[in-house]
Amino acid sequence: MNRVKLHDKEFEIFITYAQINENVKKMALRISNDMKNEDVLFICILNGSFMFTAELFKEIDLEQAEVTFMRLSSYSGTDTTGQVKKLIGLNESVEGRVLVVLEDIIDTGNTIVEVLKLLKEHKPKDVKIATMLLKPEKFNNKFPIDYVGMEIGNDFIVGFGLDYDQKGRNLKDIYKIVE
Ligand code: 5GP
Ligand code: MG
C-alpha cells in the first residue's frame, strides 16, 4: 500500500517496516549491551509507543528486564501555570532502578522533558531515553538523547503506533502527509 487516506488527509509511504525493524533491532542490541548487570525497567509512553515497545522489547536480551506502560495526562490544576501534568499508571517501584523511557517520536522535546521531571521524583538510579524517531529541527539538541532509531524531517507522520486523530496506528509501515 503506497497511499492511505485518513479522515481528510492523504499519506504516502515513508519508512518501511523492514527499515523500522532493522533500526529497532540495532537499538535493542545497544541497550542490551549497555544495561548488562542493571535492574532495568522499560517504560512505554502510551499511546503512540505501544508498537515500538513491542518490537523493541522482544529483542532485548536481558534476563531481568521488565516493561510497564504509562501515560502523561494534563489536567487543570490550581498551579499558577494552569496546566499540571501527571504520570498515570506507574505502579512499579522505581527507586534505585535504571529506567529506559520508550517514546515513539520526539519533536520539540517538551513531552519527554515533562516525563523525565516526573520520573526523577521517584528517585531512580538513572533514566535513559530511547526514541524510535527524532525530528531534530525543533528539538535543536536541547539535551542528549541516549538512543535514537532514525532522524526525520518535519513532516507529520502516521503508522506503526502513531496516529492522525486516532486513525492509522495499525499501519505496519510509516507514512508521511501529502501536502
Ligand atoms: P514533543 O513536541 O513534545 O517532542 O512531541 C510530543 C508528541 O507529539 C509525541 O510523543 C507524539 O505523540 C506527537 N508527535 C510529534 N510529531 C508527530 C508526528 O509527526 N506524527 C504523530 N502522529 N505524532 C507526532
Ligand atoms: Mg507520544
Side-chain angles (χ1 to χ4, degrees):
M1 210 165 29
N2 285 319
R3 280 205 175 214
V4 288
K5 188 156 192 250
L6 303 169
H7 300 295
D8 55 331
K9 304 255 190 271
E10 291 248 19
F11 296 82
E12 64 186 10
I13 190 98
F14 180 45
I15 306 168
T16 64
Y17 173 70
Q19 289 172 279
I20 299 166
N21 179 263
E22 195 189 315
N23 277 282
V24 170
K25 274 187 173 164
K26 278 189 206 159
M27 187 189 284
L29 194 66
R30 281 186 58 207
I31 295 175
S32 302
N33 284 329
D34 292 352
M35 302 289 161
K36 286 207 178 358
N37 311 315
E38 296 286 2
D39 179 9
V40 188
L41 177 63
F42 288 83
I43 299 180
C44 170
I45 307 299
L46 295 168
N47 291 331
S49 305
F50 77 96
M51 214 175 272
F52 166 53
T53 297
E55 193 78 10
L56 182 93
F57 195 61
K58 66 190 172 185
E59 301 293 340
I60 291 293
D61 184 20
L62 295 169
E63 267 178 33
Q64 306 301 323
E66 293 180 19
V67 65
T68 191
F69 302 82
M70 51 199 292
R71 71 171 68 240
L72 190 63
S73 102
S74 49
Y75 63 96
S76 305
T78 50
D79 188 68
T80 46
T81 62
Q83 282 264 299
V84 183
K85 302 241 173 168
K86 63 172 187 171
L87 287 169
I88 301 176
L90 188 68
N91 304 314
E92 287 74 8
S93 165
V94 155
E95 200 171 327
R97 307 182 77 184
V98 177
L99 310 180
V100 181
V101 179
L102 302 179
E103 254 292 31
D104 48 359
I105 185 164
I106 294 177
D107 182 12
T108 61
N110 294 341
T111 304
I112 201 75
V113 163
E114 209 61 46
V115 170
L116 291 178
K117 198 174 82 190
L118 292 164
L119 283 175
K120 282 176 181 166
E121 291 171 5
H122 296 268
K123 300 189 171 46
K125 179 180 172 188
D126 201 359
V127 187
K128 303 284 185 194
I129 307 163
T131 189
M132 178 170 70
L133 300 165
L134 171 67
K135 291 179 171 175
E137 202 176 300
K138 275 186 250 160
F139 180 67
N140 199 19
N141 289 314
K142 282 178 194 124
F143 50 86
I145 302 174
D146 305 280
Y147 305 98
V148 176
M150 267 177 271
E151 293 193 354
I152 61 168
N154 276 329
D155 305 287
F156 183 78
I157 56 154
V158 294
F160 206 79
L162 287 121
D163 73 306
Y164 168 47
D165 199 9
Q166 300 308 325
K167 306 289 184 197
R169 294 193 196 275
N170 56 315
L171 296 165
K172 191 171 181 175
D173 307 290
I174 290 174
Y175 291 73
K176 75 173 175 184
I177 199 159
V178 180
E179 299 288 1

